Structure formats: C-alpha cells, structure tokens
Amino acid sequence: MNEKALSILEYKKIIELLTAEATCRMSKDMAKNLCPDTNIRAISEELRSTTQAVDLIVHKGSLPTEGIYDIERIVSLAEKGGVLTAKQLLMVHYNLSASENVVSFIKSDIPDIPLIISLVELIVAYPNLRADIDRCILSEDEIADNASSGLKKIRREIKQKNDSIRNKLNHIANSQSNRQYLQDTLVTIKDGRYVIPVKQEHRSRFPGIVHDQSRAGATFIEPQQIVNMNNELRELEIAENVEIAKILQELSDRVAEAGKDLINTQRLLTRLDFIMAKGKLSLKMKGSEPGINEEGIMVLKQARHPLIDAEKVVPISVTLGKDFRSLVITGPNTGGKTVTLKTIGLLSVMAQSGLHIPALAISNMPIFENIFADIGDEQSIEQSLSTFSSHMKNIVEIVNKSGKNTLVLVDELGAGTDPTEGAALAISILDSIFERGAITVATTHYNEIKKYAISTPGVENASMEFDVETLSPTYRLRLGTPGKSNAFLISSKLGLPENIIQRAEKLLKQEDVEFEDVLLALEEDKKRAELERDEAVKITEAIRNEQRIIEQKKAEFEAQKEKLLADARVEARRMIKEAKETAMEVKKELRDLSKLESLGERNKNFDINRERLREKEKKFAER
C-alpha cells in the first residue's frame, strides 16, 4: 500500500488509537505494525474477529489478557540450562495465571465467537507449575520458607544461630565490667558478621577480629568467643543460598520442559489481546463490520470520519464502482470536500486492516491493491516547486501506477495554473485514470469538469451542500448534482454593492451564465423532488402504520372470536354432559319405581313421582 497515501489519510492516527487499546507490549507492537491487506480471506477473518471481540465485550467483558510479559528470552535461557531469577519466574507465573484466567473466562456465558474460542482452545495451561512458582516465590527478592523442607530447616537453624549470637554479644556488651570500654552497647553487623563497638584505646581488652573503625573512634571487633558462631552462621547462609539455587534450578528446568507451550501460549494471548483492542476501538468509534467484495463496488452508508468529533461530524453516503467509477465533487471552500475524500480513503484502509468502520453495517467495501491520494498543499520549498508543480509530480506517479483495483483521491484537480488549461488537463487526466480501470474521487471548482461529468458515461457529479441563507456549509454530500460556486449570491449577502455584482455577471461568458442557471434549476428541482419524496415517504409510513393498526385489530378480533367459539364449545359440552347425567338419574329412578310397583309397594305419592319423572325424562329428551 502506498505509504504516502496512508500518511495523507492519517492512517497512523488510527493505529495510535488502536495501540492505546492494547494492554501489553507485544500486542501494542502488533497494532503498530498493522497494515492494510489485499487478501479477501485474511481481511474477512480479521473483520470477523473484531466483530466477535465486540460481541464478547458487550455480552461479558474483555478477555483478561492484561499486561502479559514477553518471556521468549526467559524460556530460551531455561532451555539452555540457565537458572532463572525469582523475577523471571514471576513473569512466567503471571503469563500462566493469565492463561488459566482466559480459559476459565471463555467456559461459560459467552456469545457465538468461534474464532476467539478456537484460539483459546490452543492454550496449554500448566496449573501445577503456576502453583509451585506461587508457593516458592514471594517476591522478586524473596523465596518462601516452604519452597522446600531443606530451606525451611536451614532458615530455622539460621534464626536460632542469630538469636544465640545476639544473646552472647548482648551479654558481653551489657556486662557491668565491659560497659566502660565500649563506645555503646549496640550490637551491629559488619561484612555479614556480628561485632561490638569498642573504644579505640581499649581494643586490646577484647581479643578477636577487627572489622572496621568509625570516625567517632570506635573499633568494631568480632570477639573471639563468637568467631566460631559467626562461622557457623556463615556456613548456614551459604547452605541457604545453595538450597535456593537448587529450588530455582528445579523450577527453571520445569519451565524449559514446558517451553514450546509457554511460547505458543504467549503468542496466543498476544493475538487475543490485539483482537480485544480492535473490539474496544470499534465500540469507541461506534463502528460496524462492512461487507467485503472483489467486484470493486464501494457502498458507504452514513459513514463518518473517525478522527472528527462524533457529535460534530456529518455522515456521508456514497456508492462507487457500480453505476459509475469516477466521482467529481464540487462545492464551496471549507464545505467538506476534502473531509469526504479522506473519509472514503481512510475507511477503505481501515476495512482492509480488519478494523470496523464508523458506518452502517450495510456498508460494503472493495479490496484495493493500492490507494493514491493527492490532497492538500504539498508545496516543496527545498525543491523550489510551485503548488501546481508539486501536485503535478504526484499526479504523474498516480497516472503511471493506477489501474484496476486502485483508488485515486485527488483534491482540486488542475488547480494552481491557468483555469482554461487546468480544466482541460484535469479532464484529460480523469479520462486516462478512468481508462486504466481505477475508481476515482476528485474535487474541483471548474465548470468544464462539471460538464464533463454530466456528459461522460461512468462519471458522476456530486456536491457539498451550502446554505446560502446562513452562508454556511451543511457538509452533506449530494450525489448526482454538481455544486454552484454561489460567489455572486454570497457576495451580495455580505454587502458587496449590486452594481459590482451586475458588472461581474456581464463579464461572464454567456455559456457559463447559462450553465450556472441550469445548475440552479437542477438544484431547485432536486430539492423539490427530495421534499416530495420525503412527503411521500411520510404518507407511505402513515399508511403502513394505519395498516399495522388495522392488522393488529383484525388479529385481536380473530383472537376474541376464536375465544368466544372455544368458550361456547366448552359450555355446550358441559350442558350435554349435564343432560346425559340427569337423564340417567331419571331412568334409574323410574326403574326403581317399576320394581316397587311390581312388588305391590305403592303409596299415595307413587303415581305422583312416576308422572314427575316421566315429565322430566320427556323434557331432557327434547333438549
């Protein structure tokens, strides 16, 4: 990718923002070295990993990959038989802990993130090694007593020996007979051995080894009585160092055994931290994953320049490479033409770097083999080049190197020289680049180029909208309409005398006046069409809302009708059941009366009951 274009498009600032989101030196290095790719599979995978990072962060949070260490040299030293320091082992311990934390983090309550999961599944954790380093090493300078039984025993003996020596020296120093000969009664240590401060004139009274002499006149003597005890203490300290070296060697050997897995895991954690950085940047920019195509079609919807305040930037929508490959943007100065160029270019390189872009997710980006940009005043004082010459030098390179799958961005094409020659040259350059198959976006003020865009297939006009009432740009990009300079109108509103403006209008060529009138009419027609379209959209939306309400009420009616029918069916079944049960009871009672009659057991109510039951049976039969 063209380095000059990346610089002009301020790609480095995006990289700086990405680097700030990474949490370890290795992933920061990955961010700093990120470049646009041209392989569609690699780009698509990087974009998917960014999307999955966003999904994970939003759903559960970022992976715990913060601040892992670069332990490749440490592992290499261990593999060569070297003894690692406590500090180096703690760095290994930190990475091992991070490995376990990441594996644990990804085990539950996560969205569908197959790319990230596939990386985590390759991590090899060594919980026993991590636990043993944690048990043995307290800090960069301290080994735990429980690192080994031998170390614990030696340190217990060292404590006991220290106590014995101190007690012995305190007894000597605090003896009533010795106090007058001592500078003070404090027991101190010189060169790792216990001594007492003796007044210089009385040093002969204390046989032993002289270690030092103070400016105050004290001689530090190791009394003969404790020389052997100090020797024994020194031997214990040497034994302690030997045991510590043994512990460090054992841990170093275990690091060497796990060396390949430790290095691979470090690289996986670095990769995961880099992916998380991409996800965090996307969330900060409110970015989306664009589609990627190899057909050379760019579709940007509501695209925002990522380096402009999100509250102030005006989104643009543009399609290139489908109905036209060359776009000519016109409009007033400071109207947003240059920002539009940079937005198109910067979002292209971001997408090809696997980064989300600040645009709607329906956006779709082509893959450019190269991007060329000539934007801004690049006058070279050292080479004594004029503005026109400087730009033309860039244009020469662009024309020679552009081709299919190339994006060309040119600001104020043909400016800096005679307008007539500049416009003709600009049209010829645009034609040449177009014939080479490149996608081009150029800005201009020349009417001739506007006319060229109107009459040439594959070339389209666009303009940056300008509010003549407020004399300020709206920064909105309008496709299909060339922009007016509005110089006379703006000058009039700013108070320039009308006679000067009228004189200027007379100096214009008739064809230019007519063209400006045509542009004005086109702009008014387009605004009117847009207003009518917006009104139609509102009416359509109102009709759709009304249809939704009708459909909702119809659904509610159908649901209510179905419920009434269901209730009626239930009630009918209940009544039928009740009728059947009553009929059975009547028949049973009639049978019982018949039995009594046959037995001659009739009374005065017998006939009345029989008639009542028969009447009841008749009624239920009718039901």
Side-chain angles (χ1 to χ4, degrees):
M1 193 66 70
N2 186 272
E3 290 294 331
K4 188 173 184 180
L6 295 179
S7 176
I8 291 171
L9 297 173
E10 298 180 285
Y11 177 68
K12 185 178 179 181
K13 290 185 178 180
I14 299 297
I15 294 301
E16 288 172 355
L17 293 174
L18 176 64
T19 303
E21 298 299 334
T23 67
C24 69
R25 184 183 63 78
M26 296 85 72
S27 56
K28 286 182 182 291
D29 287 343
M30 285 187 72
K32 289 176 183 176
N33 295 323
L34 181 64
C35 292
D37 206 333
T38 55
N39 182 287
I40 189 168
R41 291 183 62 183
I43 295 169
S44 298
E45 184 170 311
E46 284 300 318
L47 285 170
R48 283 199 303 273
S49 71
T50 306
T51 300
Q52 291 178 25
V54 170
D55 292 344
L56 179 61
I57 293 168
V58 170
H59 184 83
K60 189 175 182 179
S62 182
L63 286 174
T65 53
E66 296 86 355
I68 58 172
Y69 291 99
D70 183 357
I71 59 171
E72 291 201 26
R73 290 185 179 180
I74 293 172
V75 171
S76 177
L77 174 61
E79 289 175 334
K80 293 175 182 177
V83 179
L84 303 181
T85 64
K87 179 180 179 180
Q88 290 171 327
L89 286 166
L90 285 176
M91 292 167 71
V92 174
H93 172 270
Y94 189 93
N95 283 18
L96 289 170
S97 297
S99 303
E100 291 185 54
N101 291 339
V102 167
V103 172
S104 176
F105 186 91
I106 216 75
K107 281 184 177 177
S108 63
D109 188 29
I110 56 170
D112 184 25
I113 47 172
L115 282 174
I116 293 176
I117 290 174
S118 66
L119 292 174
V120 174
E121 287 176 344
L122 296 174
I123 291 175
V124 180
Y126 284 83
N128 293 336
L129 177 57
R130 190 265 311 152
D132 286 341
I133 295 176
D134 188 51
R135 174 179 57 81
C136 294
I137 300 176
L138 299 178
S139 69
E140 295 180 6
D141 305 308
E142 188 176 3
I143 307 299
D145 293 348
N146 292 326
S148 72
S149 57
L151 183 61
K152 188 173 184 178
K153 178 175 179 294
I154 292 169
R155 285 185 171 173
R156 185 169 58 247
E157 291 176 356
I158 287 174
K159 184 178 182 305
Q160 292 171 351
K161 186 61 67 177
N162 273 309
D163 291 343
S164 298
I165 295 173
R166 281 187 172 277
N167 290 336
K168 183 72 173 177
L169 285 176
N170 283 332
H171 178 73
I172 294 172
N174 292 308
S175 171
Q176 193 68 36
S177 59
N178 290 334
R179 281 187 179 180
Q180 57 184 318
Y181 305 120
L182 301 178
Q183 189 76 15
D184 58 53
T185 59
L186 292 175
V187 175
T188 188
I189 296 176
K190 292 289 183 182
D191 300 325
R193 301 177 76 88
Y194 285 96
V195 296
I196 53 174
V198 180
K199 293 178 181 178
Q200 189 172 357
E201 62 270 23
H202 299 298
R203 62 185 182 181
S204 60
R205 288 184 170 273
F206 294 89
I209 301 171
V210 176
H211 284 272
D212 201 0
Q213 187 173 338
S214 72
R215 293 181 180 179
T219 300
F220 295 97
I221 296 176
E222 179 183 354
Q224 192 64 47
Q225 301 99 305
I226 66 160
V227 169
N228 289 336
M229 296 176 72
N230 268 332
N231 288 341
E232 291 169 0
L233 178 61
R234 183 61 184 147
E235 289 173 359
L236 286 171
E237 289 172 346
I238 292 171
E240 178 189 26
N241 290 333
V242 170
E243 184 65 20
I244 288 174
K246 180 181 175 183
I247 293 165
L248 294 177
Q249 182 67 68
E250 289 176 354
L251 291 173
S252 300
D253 291 342
R254 292 175 64 184
V255 169
E257 291 174 7
K260 290 183 179 179
D261 288 333
L262 291 176
I263 296 304
N264 187 54
T265 293
Q266 174 191 304
R267 292 171 181 169
L268 290 168
L269 291 174
T270 299
R271 169 77 175 142
L272 288 167
D273 191 69
F274 172 72
I275 291 173
M276 289 299 109
K278 293 194 298 174
K280 293 172 191 174
L281 181 63
S282 174
L283 288 169
K284 283 192 174 182
M285 288 185 175
K286 298 180 181 178
S288 302
E289 177 185 349
I292 297 294
N293 68 83
E294 292 182 292
E295 287 73 46
I297 298 173
M298 176 188 293
V299 180
L300 283 174
K301 296 294 184 182
Q302 295 295 298
R304 308 179 308 277
H305 194 290
L307 300 176
I308 299 177
D309 187 346
E311 300 298 322
K312 298 178 181 178
V313 66
V314 177
I316 63 165
S317 294
V318 62
T319 299
L320 286 164
K322 190 175 182 181
D323 297 325
F324 55 88
R325 281 193 289 109
S326 187
L327 184 66
V328 175
I329 304 175
T330 50
N333 291 328
T334 70
K337 299 192 300 296
T338 302
V339 170
T340 298
L341 286 182
K342 288 189 173 182
T343 300
I344 292 170
L346 185 54
L347 267 53
S348 296
V349 294
M350 284 178 65
Q352 289 184 222
S353 299
L355 301 176
H356 282 181
I357 61 173
L360 297 184
I362 57 174
S363 299
N364 207 293
M365 303 296 286
I367 297 174
F368 293 114
E369 295 290 338
N370 219 331
I371 295 176
F372 296 100
D374 183 68
I375 301 173
D377 185 4
E378 299 180 25
Q379 183 172 348
S380 174
I381 297 174
E382 292 85 356
Q383 298 177 17
S384 299
L385 293 174
S386 69
T387 301
F388 176 77
S389 298
S390 177
H391 283 305
M392 193 49 58
K393 184 179 179 183
N394 293 336
I395 296 299
V396 168
E397 180 185 11
I398 291 171
V399 170
N400 288 334
K401 294 183 178 179
S402 62
K404 193 175 180 181
N405 299 323
T406 300
L407 175 64
V408 175
L409 306 168
V410 185
D411 198 17
E412 299 296 348
L413 182 60
T417 188
D418 176 77
T420 304
E421 292 183 358
L425 194 58
I427 291 170
S428 181
I429 290 169
L430 286 175
D431 256 345
S432 177
I433 295 173
F434 185 86
E435 289 169 0
R436 290 170 177 264
I439 288 180
T440 308
V441 184
T443 69
T444 185
H445 284 290
Y446 295 145
N447 279 343
E448 289 80 358
I449 302 180
K450 300 175 190 177
K451 296 173 186 176
Y452 160 78
I454 291 173
S455 61
T456 306
V459 184
E460 183 61 275
N461 268 304
S463 60
M464 303 307 300
E465 190 177 70
F466 187 85
D467 190 336
V468 293
E469 297 300 324
T470 61
L471 300 182
S472 60
T474 66
Y475 303 106
R476 283 193 283 268
L477 180 68
R478 300 166 63 92
L479 290 176
T481 305
K484 286 177 86 277
S485 65
N486 294 308
F488 293 163
L489 185 58
I490 293 171
S491 300
S492 177
K493 285 186 173 290
L494 290 175
L496 190 67
E498 190 64 27
N499 63 319
I500 296 178
I501 294 173
Q502 290 175 354
R503 190 180 304 162
E505 288 176 339
K506 290 178 181 178
L507 293 174
L508 278 177
K509 292 179 181 179
Q510 183 61 31
E511 61 183 38
D512 289 333
V513 174
E514 291 173 354
F515 184 67
E516 287 291 321
D517 290 340
V518 168
L519 291 184
L520 182 60
L522 281 173
E523 190 169 349
E524 290 175 351
D525 288 345
K526 187 161 187 177
K527 284 182 179 179
R528 192 179 304 110
E530 287 176 350
L531 288 172
E532 292 174 355
R533 181 200 62 193
D534 293 342
E535 186 64 28
V537 168
K538 289 179 182 178
I539 293 171
T540 302
E541 187 61 29
I543 293 171
R544 285 175 180 170
N545 288 335
E546 191 67 29
Q547 286 177 335
R548 280 194 290 268
I549 293 170
I550 292 171
E551 290 295 328
Q552 184 178 354
K553 287 183 177 180
K554 182 180 177 182
E556 290 174 356
F557 173 77
E558 291 294 334
Q560 188 175 9
K561 184 178 77 171
E562 186 61 33
K563 185 176 184 303
L564 289 172
L565 288 172
D567 291 345
R569 284 192 289 269
V570 170
E571 180 64 17
R573 283 194 293 269
R574 185 191 65 76
M575 292 176 64
I576 292 169
K577 182 180 179 183
E578 182 181 338
K580 286 181 178 179
E581 290 174 350
T582 303
M584 290 177 68
E585 289 176 3
V586 170
K587 287 180 179 179
K588 182 176 180 300
E589 290 185 26
L590 284 172
R591 283 196 301 271
D592 292 342
L593 286 174
S594 297
K595 288 179 182 179
L596 289 172
E597 183 180 15
S598 64
L599 293 172
E601 297 179 2
R602 294 177 62 172
N603 54 37
K604 60 181 180 181
N605 294 322
F606 181 88
D607 292 332
I608 296 172
N609 288 334
R610 183 173 62 181
E611 289 303 319
R612 177 179 60 79
L613 291 172
R614 283 177 176 171
E615 186 64 29
K616 192 174 182 180
E617 181 182 30
K618 182 180 179 182
K619 286 182 179 180
F620 276 105
E622 291 174 354
R623 291 175 63 182

